[in-house]
Amino acid sequence: MDSSDADGVLAEQLLRVTRRLQRIQSRQLEPMGITPAQFRLLRTVAHYDGPPRMADLAQRLDVVPRAVTTLVDGLEASGRVRRAPDPDSRRVVRIEITEEGFATLRSLRDARRAAAEEILAPLTADQREVLGGLLSALVNGMPERRC
């Protein structure tokens, strides 16, 4: 097998593992009444030092502002975030995470760990360490993304 064939096989294997992880995570999110996209937005809001603007979230998530509005609507309806006026500009709306949102994040982090454990179950501790190093090399070689 030549190098390009081997790279193609590796790419396919990475895609299959990623899809499997996404399926497991979606299965765990469903009973909590949250979508993977809402989880991503909630995580992103939590990583800011203060409540971000909707435009900040759209840029960070690399989506159109309308997509953020829809996600915030769903999270706000479930009590996980709230819209707050910007103290410096009446036209700007900021998004604050609520206590319910923080509790949801804790539960979701546990669900994510369980999904990873399910995926990694066939590997020994040494194999996991090697895989972690390889994945770090891949992630560190990519352009920076903040979510």
Side-chain angles (χ1 to χ4, degrees), residues 46-117:
H47 281 99
Y48 276 90
D49 290 333
R53 298 175 310 141
M54 300 274 271
D56 298 331
L57 292 169
Q59 183 178 7
R60 173 96 37 112
L61 294 169
D62 196 24
V63 297
V64 296
R66 177 71 187 120
V68 170
T69 301
T70 301
L71 293 172
V72 168
D73 287 346
L75 289 170
E76 188 174 40
S78 67
R80 292 177 173 116
V81 299
R82 68 177 150 260
R83 288 175 167 88
D86 184 293
D88 300 324
S89 173
R90 294 184 320 173
R91 295 184 301 160
V92 174
V93 174
R94 295 200 174 262
I95 305 304
E96 296 177 339
I97 190 165
T98 64
E99 284 305 314
E100 177 68 22
F102 282 118
T104 299
L105 272 178
R106 285 188 294 275
S107 295
L108 294 172
R109 285 183 185 125
D110 292 343
R112 184 178 242 189
R113 266 190 231 96
E117 180 58 39

Side-chain angles (χ1 to χ4, degrees), residues 19-39:
R19 286 185 195 125
R20 184 171 170 215
L21 185 59
Q22 288 171 336
R23 278 193 309 273
I24 293 167
Q25 186 173 338
S26 291
R27 187 177 68 230
Q28 292 170 332
L29 294 176
E30 190 175 354
M32 294 180 206
I34 190 167
T35 66
Q38 288 173 327
F39 174 40

